Amino acid sequence: MTDAATDAPLYSAHALEDYASALLQKAGLAASMSDSVARTLVEGDLLGHDTHGMALLAGYVKEVESGGMTRDGAPEVLSDRPAAVLWDGKRLPGPWLMDQGMDLLIPRARELGTASLVIRRSHHIACLAVYMLRALQEDMLMLLACSDPNTASVAPFGGTQAVFTPNPLAMGFPLSQGGVMVDISASITTNGMSNRKRAAGETFAEEWLIDAAGKPSNDPQVLFDEPPGTLLPVGGLSHGHKGYGMALLVETLTAGLAGFGRADPKEGWGATVHITLHDLHAFGGKEEFLRQMDHVAAQCRTNTPIDAARPVRLPGEGGLKRRDAQSKNGVRLHPSIARSLQDAEQRHGLQLAKALI
């Protein structure tokens, strides 16, 4: 969660879900899909991913209204083998497609040990970490990758012209106590955070972007200049080959396996998605998996920190604690979110749930 949100009002998670679902339904999205999208967005905020939670709702509503997001229907099955499935998502809402995909994969992974689904032409899928929660509950190791072939904001290492999106890659698995949820991007920062900082007239603490000439910058405005700058890949100017490699990995898992991506005509805001589930029982067994990963987790948690005030944490540990606390005490929304929803509220006669504090 960003520092700007630490003094923001608190809201009931259930009230936010009801509000988000109602607003999406008013815009024309089917009720079952609206519920799925609303739950996913609120879960993003519960975990502290406040650029990929309710911050997306206003944009989603506009996409439903314009027809950029398909309002009802089902994905088309393009290929179906026992452990490998390809869907055409038909631009249906990404969180709903993810829920349907998990429903499909879990029993197959139970039977086969591993099962994968690739979805082309999905709409945006929101916060990747949210989907790791179900993997933890189901005793699964989950890998999730996502790219958006319709836009580009990240240049390959050494270049100045955007080829990739931030291309997030996520992984989740259980531990005896809690679990690990990795949600990272191949770029140093995201488009969502860049948009937020630009709107607020803020800059980044470090030079995480380059302008069109390749000059380092901390100003998100360079993404909107003509010609535009780009986000830097993970590793920055000196070691950006690492993020470049990650971006290519995500492209192969998504666009490559889907047979649909940047080589095809653009359709608007969306996603190509790769999901793989591994059943822990199908390999060395759950007990042995936990024995190994609990040991690694303990070595990380007890590692002597550089700063005693900032002990080593496991990825997702802070998010899970934040989710527990905010489920009980209220969700803290970034101040920009309520403002972003005002136009949609006026169009559809709804009002954001009253803050608890």
Side-chain angles (χ1 to χ4, degrees):
M1 180 172 292
T2 58
D3 291 340
T6 54
D7 295 326
L10 291 168
Y11 297 85
S12 159
H14 293 300
L16 287 178
E17 283 189 31
D18 290 344
Y19 162 81
S21 181
L23 188 56
L24 288 162
Q25 289 179 59
K26 289 276 190 179
L29 190 63
S32 62
M33 294 179 179
S34 297
D35 289 344
S36 178
V37 173
R39 183 179 64 255
T40 301
L41 295 184
V42 174
E43 283 283 7
D45 279 298
L46 283 169
L47 290 169
H49 294 266
D50 65 357
T51 60
H52 284 67
M54 289 286 286
L56 295 167
L57 180 58
Y60 282 11
V61 168
K62 288 181 180 178
E63 286 288 285
V64 174
E65 292 169 337
S66 69
M69 182 185 292
T70 303
R71 300 177 180 184
D72 202 355
E76 180 183 356
V77 180
L78 300 178
S79 177
D80 190 350
R81 300 185 183 188
V85 182
L86 173 64
W87 283 354
D88 183 334
K90 299 171 72 172
R91 297 193 56 77
L92 289 158
W96 180 80
L97 284 171
M98 285 295 302
D99 284 347
Q100 299 299 303
M102 293 288 281
D103 288 345
L104 173 79
L105 289 183
I106 288 170
R108 295 195 184 203
R110 290 261 186 267
E111 178 184 357
L112 302 168
T114 296
S116 297
L117 168 67
V118 176
I119 310 172
R120 66 193 203 182
R121 300 183 66 241
S122 167
H123 206 283
H124 191 261
I125 67 169
C127 175
L128 272 64
V130 170
Y131 307 110
M132 302 300 115
L133 294 169
R134 191 166 174 190
L136 270 56
Q137 296 167 355
E138 298 285 351
D139 289 340
M140 296 279 177
L141 165 61
M142 179 176 181
L143 299 176
L144 173 60
C146 180
S147 64
D148 183 355
N150 302 289
T151 186
S153 57
V154 184
F157 181 58
T160 60
Q161 295 174 304
V163 173
F164 309 107
T165 38
N167 282 16
L169 182 65
M171 172 185 66
F173 59 84
L175 297 169
S176 294
Q177 299 294 325
V180 169
M181 301 190 306
V182 177
D183 184 352
I184 56 178
S185 294
S187 58
I188 296 179
T189 188
T190 64
N191 291 318
M193 185 57 71
S194 299
N195 292 337
R196 175 179 290 177
K197 284 191 172 291
R198 176 176 178 257
E202 299 173 353
T203 57
F204 288 105
E206 299 181 42
E207 294 174 331
W208 291 346
L209 310 94
I210 54 173
D211 65 17
K215 180 181 177 181
S217 176
N218 66 350
D219 189 351
Q221 176 58 40
V222 302
L223 295 177
F224 301 87
D225 291 340
E226 286 295 336
T230 74
L231 302 173
L232 282 169
V234 164
L237 291 172
S238 62
H239 290 77
H241 60 281
K242 298 177 185 286
Y244 181 22
M246 288 174 58
L248 286 169
L249 170 63
V250 171
E251 290 291 326
T252 60
L253 291 173
T254 57
L257 292 181
F260 184 90
R262 301 186 187 281
D264 299 294
K266 301 184 189 316
E267 295 184 302
W269 190 20
T272 308
V273 184
H274 176 107
I275 313 166
T276 291
L277 294 180
H278 299 288
D279 183 5
L280 304 185
H281 301 275
F283 296 89
K286 180 182 176 181
E287 288 186 6
E288 287 302 302
F289 180 92
L290 293 179
R291 184 174 72 88
Q292 293 294 334
M293 300 317 298
D294 285 348
H295 178 78
V296 172
Q299 287 189 311
C300 293
R301 286 178 173 139
T302 60
N303 208 283
T304 303
I306 297 171
D307 180 352
R310 302 178 66 184
V312 177
R313 296 186 306 180
L314 292 168
E317 187 174 1
L320 290 171
K321 290 180 179 178
R322 189 177 295 114
R323 180 175 182 264
D324 288 342
Q326 292 200 112
S327 295
K328 297 173 184 175
N329 304 321
V331 185
R332 199 175 295 280
L333 291 186
H334 191 278
S336 63
I337 294 173
R339 295 193 297 269
S340 74
L341 290 164
Q342 289 175 352
D343 288 346
E345 289 176 339
Q346 290 178 0
R347 291 196 300 275
H348 297 293
L350 290 178
Q351 187 173 359
L352 184 64
K354 291 185 177 180
L356 299 174
I357 298 177

